[in-house]
Amino acid sequence: MRLPRPTARPARTGLVRGAAALGVIGAALAATWAWMGTASSPPHALPPPVAVAPAVPLLAEAELMALFPDRPTLLRLRENPRVFVLLFPSLAAQGAAMNRAAALVEKAGLPRDRLLDGVELAAAIARSGDTAETWYLGHDYRSADLARFLALAERDRVALTEAELWLRAQFVEALTLSGGEPFALVSVANPGGALDAAMRSAVLRHEIGHGHYFTLPGFTEHVQRVWRTGFSEAERAAYRAYLGREGYDTGNDELMANEAMAYTLFTPDPRLFSPALVGLPPAAVERLRELLHSGLALP
Ligand SMILES: [Zn+2]
């Protein structure tokens, strides 16, 4: 999620969140094996990956909301254990770990097939009028997205930063715990700077909403169906205009549906989302909220 934008700005294009479908588990496992250095080891020498993975606490959403760790921390959502949550002590720490992955996965006009170097990443952030801290308030990825990020780093022998190496370790841990099933990895930072406590709660809830979308196939399909047939054309246009003002790629219909869902159902902060911001009557947004919510069944 981005900071709210008070003025109109051009929509970013070319976002490929949904296109990161190159073999979720295949890529992830291949990358994992490569990091573990097992590719060239004799089969007998395989290390026991499960045995070394420490437990990741399962916490309810309300518990995550009340947690403000002083160091980056991996947790797992009790209501939907396929959603892993990274809590960062600051927007700066979050940006350091996540921004280069965001550039690869979803930023328009940036390479989809290689990682940026540090200079390119800083230039891309500056061009958008942001800093590394403000580029994102929160992040949300499918496991396949992060697997691709890590596989490209491995392929091109790109040196990851210390923060990115930490992210890689959390990904491997989540992969191990997921037993090969796709998962989502979302993040938020502790309040500070552009992010106050109420906004932090709303961002965390918003990103968890994306986590549900990424990991509950029935919900994914429901949201897409409601976007296509439950929203009127005028309502879709209003949401597209709002999301475009916030910097999202309005040409990516899957993203529009996913974001419309996350803002409508999971963003309880009127500075980030309200019927007035989207330009629709409250009753219209309430009707869409009920439609979207009717397809959410947590496991
Ligand atoms: Zn979002």
Side-chain angles (χ1 to χ4, degrees):
M1 174 185 275
R2 283 78 161 176
L3 275 170
R5 302 288 177 183
T7 53
R9 59 207 296 265
R12 299 176 174 114
T13 56
L15 201 110
V16 293
R17 200 188 290 281
L22 71 150
V24 181
I25 295 314
L29 287 179
T32 308
W33 284 129
W35 309 325
M36 298 173 84
T38 52
S40 58
S41 305
H44 318 70
L46 290 179
V50 176
V52 300
V56 173
L58 265 174
L59 292 185
E61 183 173 308
E63 295 173 305
L64 291 168
M65 292 286 176
L67 199 59
F68 304 96
D70 61 6
R71 67 187 64 186
T73 303
L74 174 68
L75 300 150
R76 200 173 185 186
L77 182 66
R78 184 181 299 281
E79 291 90 339
N80 177 358
R82 288 169 74 177
V83 178
F84 289 83
V85 179
L86 298 177
L87 297 182
F88 288 95
S90 65
L91 286 171
Q94 175 176 253
M98 311 297 283
N99 279 350
R100 188 148 63 154
L104 174 78
V105 173
E106 64 172 33
K107 281 294 180 178
L110 297 177
R112 294 276 92 86
D113 58 350
R114 69 173 180 87
L115 273 55
L116 299 183
D117 65 28
V119 173
E120 292 170 318
L121 180 62
I125 293 171
R127 276 199 305 277
S128 69
D130 283 302
T131 66
E133 289 77 27
T134 64
W135 211 29
Y136 280 82
L137 293 179
H139 293 257
D140 55 274
Y141 301 105
R142 291 182 164 100
S143 48
D145 293 330
L146 290 172
R148 188 160 57 92
F149 170 74
L150 296 169
L152 289 174
E154 179 73 21
R155 183 196 73 183
D156 297 339
R157 303 196 183 287
V158 173
L160 297 178
T161 66
E162 190 179 340
E164 290 166 339
L165 290 171
W166 180 84
L167 171 63
R168 186 178 73 178
Q170 311 321 302
F171 173 83
V172 171
E173 195 162 342
L175 184 69
T176 303
L177 290 169
S178 299
E181 291 295 315
F183 59 91
L185 202 153
V186 307
S187 75
V188 72
N190 288 353
L195 191 67
D196 64 31
M199 197 180 280
R200 190 259 196 182
S201 292
V203 171
L204 177 54
R205 202 165 156 67
H206 176 102
E207 304 300 357
I208 286 173
H210 286 309
H212 293 320
Y213 178 88
F214 288 147
T215 58
L216 304 174
F219 186 51
T220 315
E221 290 151 16
H222 173 81
V223 169
Q224 293 291 332
R225 189 166 50 246
V226 169
W227 173 251
R228 287 194 310 270
T229 63
F231 283 60
S232 69
E233 186 52 50
E235 287 166 344
R236 278 192 298 271
Y239 271 83
R240 280 198 194 96
Y242 170 65
L243 293 169
R245 288 194 296 276
E246 296 302 313
Y248 294 93
D249 173 11
T250 58
N252 181 335
D253 218 45
E254 200 219 341
L255 177 73
M256 291 293 102
N258 186 8
E259 291 297 345
M261 177 281 298
Y263 275 100
T264 306
L265 282 186
F266 293 108
T267 312
D269 185 323
R271 294 169 296 176
L272 296 172
F273 179 79
S274 69
L277 281 175
V278 84
L280 290 172
V285 172
E286 182 56 25
R287 183 187 74 86
L288 297 172
R289 198 194 70 75
E290 285 172 10
L291 272 180
L292 288 164
H293 189 262
S294 68
L296 180 62
L298 294 176

